[in-house]
């Protein structure tokens, strides 16, 4: 008897294999092997509901393969149609959306606008669990206008509509509410066999999917919380690919025959999070002192082993709208002066919490603590287990490491930087920032909107509670014969339907 399969993928964050286009014809399916992917995920933290709390990468990947989404990010960070084929608005508030008319659920039922609106309302209704994923919408005022058309209304002008409905808008049949029993039909590239458990999801190719034929007939997603274990699964032949391996492991396998290390530049971001509502981080001088006390070059070389670059405290530096920020040079004398000016000439004692959910997080905290100590900031590092870190530490403790990389700046700002943001982990409250953000979203001109968003990123970098000390490459270990891995930023990594094995 199989236990109900539940999986969960981290908020933030991200690594999987997507295929670019190696589609196989349906009549050759018998010759297509299975793809076994070792993904970041703690079996004890699994989830069955695609609309609720999801904390494992393995779960996000499973949901993306079972359920269609409206739009998705491509390998360059742009937004592409998926279930939605077009969207248009004259006032940036009421969006006329047209859906594919050839999408069907795995039970043969056509996907309609009613299914989409039901799913979006259900996602919004679970906002306390999913960080207010669709809080920008007025879904009571939204309505279907035809079998495959609907008007989606935002609470105010929202020029970034396509991004708002990307990646995680998993569409289920209208009325679906129980995801703990038999698999709920989806319209994605794979279907659930029902054979899996909390450790392994077992999916089979959905030949009725509207898209190009998936690259493998069978997909197994293995939830593994430890990076070394994931890599060893590939090395031993138990898996074909592993997401988020450590830089040390990448260095070891980079020159070995039979393996490929896939690099996704700038995909790894482990910022120090300072709660600006909590002493001493309520003092801007203290926050500035922490930023100046870090040796970012040393952190990148030690933690990422050169697979990355120093950060400038800009949260999303790889986006087209990001500002061209100058490097943040270490300045211990200025850090000490700022502490003295804040009345803390005798130093500060802090606890920095971290985990080993993703490779390098523990090492980053340890080295950062040593560097801060040289400026008179005495830091004790506490390592929390991965199974509970994202429920007991993240958005709870005043000083910890997060793992970002899944959301673009607009979506992240809406969740974590607006005064009323649902996961405002740094307690960032700035009425001018809020107003400027709304102005940007109400700006139809792409270039002007980009300027406004870039200025907002600069403000957070200079004054906010995030220390983006470095950006590392996302590193995946791929066995010989596997093709079509994702190379794009953010949630591009979870759309793996075109990955192939052999051939």
């Amino acid at each position: 008897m199989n236990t109900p399969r539940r999986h969960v993928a981290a908020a933030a964050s991200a690594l999987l294999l997507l295929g670019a286009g190696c589609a196989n014809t349906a009549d050759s399916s018998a010759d297509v092997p299975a793809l076994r992917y070792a993904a970041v995920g703690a079996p004890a933290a699994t989830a069955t509901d695609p609309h609720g709390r999801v904390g494992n990468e393995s779960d996000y990947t499973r949901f993306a393969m079972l359920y269609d989404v409206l739009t998705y990010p491509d390998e360059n960070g742009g937004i592409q149609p998926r279930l939605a084929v077009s969207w248009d608005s004259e006032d940036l508030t009421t969006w006329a959306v047209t859906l594919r008319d050839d999408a069907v659920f795995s039970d043969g039922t056509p996907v309609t606008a009613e299914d989409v609106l039901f799913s979006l309302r259900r996602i919004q209704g679970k906002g306390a669990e999913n960080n207010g994923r669709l809080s920008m919408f007025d879904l009571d005022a939204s309505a279907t206008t035809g079998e495959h058309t609907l008007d989606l209304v935002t609470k105010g002008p929202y020029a970034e509509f396509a991004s708002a409905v990307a990646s995680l808008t998993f569409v289920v049949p209208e009325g679906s509410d129980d995801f703990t029993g038999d698999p709920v039909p989806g319209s994605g590239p794979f279907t659930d066999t029902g054979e899996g458990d909390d450790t392994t999801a077992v999916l089979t190719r959905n030949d009725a999917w509207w898209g190009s034929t998936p690259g493998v007939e069978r997909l197994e997603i293995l939830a593994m919380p430890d990076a070394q274990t994931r890599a060893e699964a590939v090395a031993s032949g138990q898996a074909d690919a592993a997401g988020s391996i450590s830089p040390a492991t990448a260095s070891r396998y980079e020159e070995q025959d039979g393996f490929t290390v896939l690099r996704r530049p700038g995909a790894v971001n482990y910022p120090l999070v300072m709660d600006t509502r909590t002493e001493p981080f309520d003092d801007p001088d203290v926050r500035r002192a922490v930023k100046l006390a870090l040796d970012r070059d040393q952190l990148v070389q030690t933690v990422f082993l050169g697979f990355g670059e120093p950060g400038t405290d800009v949260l999303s530096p790889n986006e087209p709208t990001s500002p061209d920020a100058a490097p943040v040079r270490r300045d211990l004398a200025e850090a000490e002066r700022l502490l003295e000016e804040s009345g803390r000439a005798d130093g500060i004692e802090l606890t920095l919490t971290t985990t080993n959910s993703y490779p390098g997080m523990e090492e980053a905290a340890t080295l950062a603590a040593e560097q801060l100590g040289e400026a008179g900031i005495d830091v004790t590092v506490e390592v929390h287990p991965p199974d509970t870190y994202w429920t007991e530490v993240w958005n709870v403790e005043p000083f910890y490491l997060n793992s970002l990389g899944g959301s673009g700046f607009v979506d992240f700002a809406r969740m974590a930087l607006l005064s009323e943001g649902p996961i405002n982990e740094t307690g960032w409250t700035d009425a001018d920032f809020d107003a400027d953000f709304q102005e940007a979203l109400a700006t139809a001109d792409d270039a002007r909107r980009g300027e406004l968003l870039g200025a907002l990123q600069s403000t957070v970098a200079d004054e906010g509670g995030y220390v983006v000390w470095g950006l590392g490459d996302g590193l995946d270990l791929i066995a010989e014969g596997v093709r079509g891995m994702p190379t794009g930023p953010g949630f591009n990594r979870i759309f793996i339907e075109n990955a192939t094995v052999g051939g």
Side-chain angles (χ1 to χ4, degrees):
M1 177 177 176
N2 294 315
T3 57
R5 192 196 38 343
R6 298 162 289 135
H7 283 155
V8 196
S13 317
L15 304 100
L16 224 23
L17 40 160
L18 163 80
C22 313
N24 293 275
T25 58
D27 59 4
S28 67
S29 62
D31 299 324
V32 181
L35 174 67
R36 301 161 300 167
Y37 177 71
V40 180
T46 57
T48 56
D49 191 336
H51 299 159
R53 179 182 296 277
V54 180
N56 289 332
E57 181 113 12
S58 52
D59 292 330
Y60 272 135
T61 304
R62 174 166 50 89
F63 293 145
M65 293 298 93
L66 294 176
Y67 306 108
D68 267 326
V69 296
L70 296 180
T71 64
Y72 76 106
D74 62 23
E75 64 275 9
N76 298 314
I79 301 299
Q80 299 296 329
R82 197 147 169 118
L83 187 58
V85 295
S86 68
W87 48 91
D88 185 58
S89 176
E90 294 182 358
D91 60 3
L92 302 182
T93 300
T94 299
W95 292 84
V97 180
T98 300
L99 308 173
R100 304 189 65 91
D101 60 8
D102 56 352
V104 296
F105 291 111
S106 55
D107 62 359
T109 305
V111 178
T112 69
E114 294 288 355
D115 298 309
V116 170
L117 188 55
F118 167 82
S119 298
L120 298 182
R121 285 172 173 167
R122 191 172 185 274
I123 293 170
Q124 189 180 75
K126 289 181 171 288
E129 300 176 39
N130 61 38
N131 306 323
R133 191 178 299 166
L134 296 177
S135 62
M136 74 287 288
F137 286 97
D138 183 348
L139 293 178
D140 289 334
S142 302
T144 61
T145 56
E147 186 175 5
H148 298 103
T149 58
L150 67 162
D151 285 345
L152 293 178
V153 180
T154 53
K155 295 176 180 177
Y158 206 93
E160 296 287 329
F161 171 85
S163 297
V165 296
S167 304
L168 307 182
T169 48
F170 303 117
V171 174
V172 301
E174 183 181 11
S176 301
D177 198 48
D178 184 1
F179 293 83
T180 61
D182 294 335
V184 173
S187 61
F190 287 85
T191 61
D192 194 330
T193 66
E195 301 172 15
D197 54 28
D198 285 352
T199 301
T200 305
V202 182
L203 312 182
T204 188
R205 187 167 68 193
N206 178 12
D207 290 326
W209 189 50
W210 54 264
S212 60
T213 304
V216 294
E217 183 177 359
R218 183 180 173 93
L219 175 62
E220 299 178 11
I221 303 171
L222 292 69
M224 294 184 175
D226 181 70
Q228 185 61 33
T229 302
R230 292 192 294 274
E232 289 173 353
V234 175
S236 66
Q238 295 177 319
D240 303 298
S244 193
I245 65 171
S246 71
T249 300
S251 296
R252 188 160 62 251
Y253 284 99
E254 204 169 25
E255 303 300 326
Q256 285 195 28
D257 292 338
F259 302 97
T260 298
V261 174
L262 178 70
R263 299 177 63 166
R264 289 174 286 106
V268 180
N269 181 0
Y270 302 146
L272 275 67
V273 178
M274 301 178 289
D275 189 340
T276 63
R277 297 161 295 195
T278 304
E279 198 277 336
F281 302 121
D282 56 347
D283 189 330
D285 285 341
V286 172
R287 300 198 297 270
R288 185 64 181 159
V290 170
K291 294 176 181 181
L292 289 175
L294 294 178
D295 185 333
R296 297 165 189 242
D297 290 321
Q298 184 185 34
L299 276 164
V300 169
Q301 289 301 319
T302 302
V303 177
F304 297 140
L305 300 183
F307 292 103
E309 59 184 23
T312 60
D313 299 324
V314 173
L315 283 164
S316 303
N318 293 328
E319 292 190 355
T321 62
S322 297
D324 186 14
V328 180
R329 303 299 183 191
R330 192 184 198 197
D331 191 337
L332 288 176
E334 178 63 9
E336 292 170 352
R337 187 194 70 78
L338 288 168
L339 291 177
E340 182 176 358
E341 191 170 290
S342 71
R344 296 174 174 86
D346 294 333
I348 303 175
E349 292 185 1
L350 301 172
T351 297
L352 175 61
T353 311
T354 189
T355 186
N356 54 12
S357 283
Y358 291 95
M361 290 185 72
E362 183 175 348
E363 293 82 355
T366 300
L367 181 54
E370 293 175 3
Q371 294 177 352
L372 292 172
E374 296 176 25
I377 304 173
D378 185 12
V379 178
T380 299
V381 175
E382 289 187 358
V383 182
H384 205 87
D387 287 358
T388 55
Y389 189 79
W390 305 105
T391 56
E392 297 181 3
V393 175
W394 173 76
N395 207 20
V396 174
E397 295 295 330
F399 193 36
Y400 62 89
L401 261 69
N402 198 348
S403 176
L404 303 180
S407 299
F409 176 71
V410 169
D411 201 39
F412 185 79
R414 178 188 59 79
M415 293 188 297
L417 294 173
L418 296 185
S419 301
E420 301 301 323
I423 53 168
N424 191 343
E425 59 184 341
T426 63
W428 177 255
T429 303
D430 185 325
D432 289 338
F433 181 95
D434 293 353
D436 291 344
F437 183 75
Q438 298 305 326
E439 179 186 352
L441 292 181
T443 301
D445 182 78
D446 291 342
R448 176 55 182 157
R449 188 168 68 255
E451 293 175 2
L452 294 172
L453 293 174
L456 290 169
Q457 284 226 56
S458 293
T459 297
V460 177
D462 294 340
E463 305 172 19
Y466 289 101
V467 187
V468 183
W469 51 266
L471 294 174
D473 295 341
L475 301 170
D476 301 339
L477 183 62
I478 311 299
E480 187 174 20
V482 179
R483 300 289 184 271
M485 301 297 118
T487 58
F491 285 111
N492 170 265
R493 66 191 181 274
I494 67 176
F495 296 96
I496 66 174
E497 67 271 7
N498 291 325
T500 63
V501 177

